[in-house]
Amino acid sequence: MIATHLEKELKQGANISIISFVNCLIEDAYHLRASDVHLDPEDDKIQIRFRIDGVLQDIHSFGKDMYAEVMSRIKIIAHMRTDEHQSAQDGRFRYFLKENNKAIDVRVSVVPTFYGENSVMRLLVDQAEDFSLEALGFSKENAVKITNAVHKPYGMILATGPTGSGKTTTLYTLIRTLNKRSVSIITIEDPVEYAIKGINQIQANSRTGLTFANGLRSILRQDPNIIMVGEIRDSETAGVAVNTALTGHLLLSTIHTNDAATTLPRLLDMKIESYLIASTVNVAIGQRLVRKICESCKTEKKVTEAEQKGLAEVLPKDALSAHKKFFVGKGCDDCGKTGYKGRIGVQEVLVIDGPIRDAILRKATADEIQKIAVAQGMVPMIEDAVKKAGAGITTFDEVLRMLHE
């Protein structure tokens, strides 16, 4: 990957401007589609790494002699203490791009490490404006299931998956489709990632006691129709969320589980009664993100017998038999020689209907729920990923990477 502004700035040596250097970091990260900028102190240098399409890549390095000034600059603009070097700090600032004045919200985290302070900047660029479920990678069938669920007057829509799997983007997309003048939508998030016009967004703050659970209780006194909670992470939040859905509100949230079926037993673990889960959850969306093949250098690839054998060990037999031909990106200037450009979701959508409700009521395991859901027509996440690889959207290497993660 080539960070042109950074290279130019670092060539100035002793005449380098620290303000310009930090600006170049953000500008290059934006142009290379990075979500995070890492400044990692090592024994003799500072390594710059960008997370591009979910994968960290080395971009550049610079000497430790200017790192103190770089850190001071980042702390000043992020409203952090410049005289504190031994404790973790969080901050935030807004950066306006020079060429188009587009705003980028930057979240900053600084922690002390053995070789010095480590800084990570997350770039929050509001690119979700024009997203539709199809653009996020949902199949037509899955998009219809979700659309039906969000147009019910009450109940819960839960997006599940690990950190960085696109759950929040899915919820924002749904919120935007529901955003009309005739309804009141309130969110409580930590942090508020994108500002949406016409929606009341609340920033959770544990230091002032504004937790997800307490915030949700306050929201109920604000006459909302639709509520979005950043994450259901404990029994208290889960209990308030379920009661909110029961009292005639549509509630959208995320939860950390491996797949859609595990969401339901996870709520049982959070001390929610099975009959409450069965009567409030409308749909559970399991998802991951995979990198898309760069269209500029996409080329056909036949699967060898050895690869077929290796894939058969981790992928369903039926999923493989339909696909003998796949694609890869050779690597070009467009994709920075990686062969990938952009990301897309792979999903499974579990609709809570009669047979699934019965399974929840008898406290069935996630495996049982999964089997019933597949029998009812749910396409598992792994099959959705294999279909996208067969269609030339992603590679089998990405599908396997997703499986191992």
Side-chain angles (χ1 to χ4, degrees):
M1 285 286 169
I2 302 164
T4 49
H5 294 97
L6 269 178
E7 277 199 348
K8 197 174 172 186
E9 200 63 41
L10 285 166
K11 278 177 185 171
Q12 296 195 40
N15 299 319
I16 193 167
S17 158
I18 299 299
I19 293 172
S20 294
F21 176 78
V22 174
N23 290 351
C24 288
L25 263 181
I26 299 159
E27 298 248 346
D28 279 348
Y30 170 80
H31 289 301
L32 291 171
R33 310 181 325 279
S35 60
D36 300 84
V37 175
H38 289 240
L39 296 179
D40 300 332
E42 296 178 5
D43 186 18
D44 57 344
K45 64 179 181 184
I46 308 298
Q47 182 66 51
I48 303 170
R49 295 192 294 167
F50 289 174
R51 187 175 294 280
I52 301 167
D53 294 334
V55 178
L56 273 173
Q57 299 181 30
D58 288 345
I59 296 296
H60 232 299
S61 63
F62 61 94
K64 294 188 92 167
D65 53 332
M66 60 183 260
Y67 192 46
E69 290 179 77
V70 171
M71 282 306 303
S72 292
R73 173 62 184 164
I74 291 169
K75 286 180 178 179
I76 287 165
I77 57 178
H79 309 289
M80 296 153 86
R81 286 185 58 178
T82 55
D83 60 341
E84 179 56 74
H85 306 288
Q86 299 305 318
S87 65
Q89 292 192 70
D90 293 314
R92 191 175 186 137
F93 64 91
R94 177 166 281 192
Y95 182 83
F96 291 92
L97 289 168
K98 287 169 191 158
E99 71 258 36
N100 55 14
N101 213 34
K102 186 171 186 169
I104 303 171
D105 282 317
V106 184
R107 243 176 36 220
V108 185
S109 169
V110 174
V111 295
T113 67
F114 182 74
Y115 288 118
E117 287 181 297
N118 188 91
S119 171
V120 177
M121 294 186 279
R122 167 152 288 189
L123 276 61
L124 300 168
V125 186
D126 192 358
Q127 293 169 332
E129 267 179 42
D130 303 314
F131 278 169
S132 62
L133 290 173
E134 286 80 5
L136 294 178
F138 286 92
S139 65
K140 282 181 184 172
E141 294 78 14
N142 283 343
V144 168
K145 288 176 187 175
I146 295 168
T147 304
N148 291 340
V150 296
H151 285 108
K152 289 183 179 177
Y154 62 90
M156 291 170 71
I157 313 284
L158 297 175
T160 179
T163 303
S165 59
K167 302 185 296 293
T168 306
T169 303
T170 297
L171 293 191
Y172 271 118
T173 301
L174 295 177
I175 284 287
R176 281 194 164 103
T177 63
L178 295 165
N179 189 10
K180 297 179 179 71
R181 297 302 300 163
S182 55
V183 294
S184 168
I185 302 176
I186 306 178
T187 76
I188 178 160
E189 305 166 62
D190 185 22
V192 174
E193 295 201 8
Y194 305 116
I196 307 174
K197 200 175 177 183
I199 291 174
N200 294 312
Q201 294 171 275
I202 301 165
Q203 168 73 56
N205 188 340
S206 54
R207 280 177 292 185
T208 61
L210 185 57
T211 60
F212 282 137
N214 291 338
L216 194 43
R217 289 188 187 99
S218 301
I219 286 171
L220 288 171
R221 297 191 283 274
Q222 293 276 313
D223 184 33
N225 299 101
I226 299 160
I227 299 166
M228 181 179 122
V229 180
E231 186 188 341
I232 294 174
R233 57 172 74 142
D234 53 49
S235 301
E236 189 185 8
T237 308
V240 182
V242 165
N243 285 326
T244 301
L246 273 177
T247 53
H249 300 89
L250 184 67
L251 184 133
L252 293 82
S253 190
T254 70
I255 191 166
H256 278 281
T257 61
N258 283 334
D259 52 36
T262 316
T263 305
L264 308 167
R266 177 82 181 101
L267 289 170
L268 281 173
D269 293 342
M270 290 180 171
K271 309 290 187 289
I272 305 299
E273 295 290 345
S274 57
Y275 71 91
L276 291 174
I277 300 169
S279 55
T280 55
V281 181
N282 292 344
V283 75
I285 305 161
Q287 63 182 77
R288 296 284 194 285
L289 290 175
V290 292
R291 290 183 291 172
K292 291 197 294 184
I293 300 170
C294 172
E295 288 296 327
S296 302
C297 60
K298 184 158 83 173
T299 183
E300 197 179 298
K301 176 185 187 286
K302 285 186 179 175
V303 181
T304 65
E305 274 186 44
E307 284 175 323
Q308 190 89 5
K309 200 176 175 184
L311 292 166
E313 290 173 13
V314 286
L315 297 174
K317 223 174 205 176
D318 299 343
L320 272 177
S321 57
H323 305 290
K324 297 287 180 193
K325 202 165 62 177
F326 294 97
F327 298 84
V328 291
K330 288 190 293 185
C332 64
D333 290 340
D334 265 8
C335 59
K337 309 293 183 191
T338 62
Y340 298 100
K341 191 171 182 182
R343 287 190 291 175
I344 196 163
V346 292
Q347 303 94 354
E348 59 187 13
V349 177
L350 173 57
V351 177
I352 314 304
D353 54 13
I356 300 290
R357 280 200 182 93
D358 294 341
I360 296 166
L361 290 170
R362 67 169 191 272
K363 298 184 179 178
T365 64
D367 285 344
E368 285 179 74
I369 292 168
Q370 177 82 359
K371 282 173 187 167
I372 295 165
V374 170
Q376 293 286 109
M378 182 184 89
V379 176
M381 208 185 308
I382 183 62
E383 280 190 36
D384 188 50
V386 172
K387 280 181 183 175
K388 286 182 169 110
I393 297 167
T394 188
T395 65
F396 245 124
D397 284 346
E398 275 296 285
V399 175
L400 293 172
R401 186 175 71 89
M402 179 200 86
L403 269 178
H404 295 313
E405 282 183 356

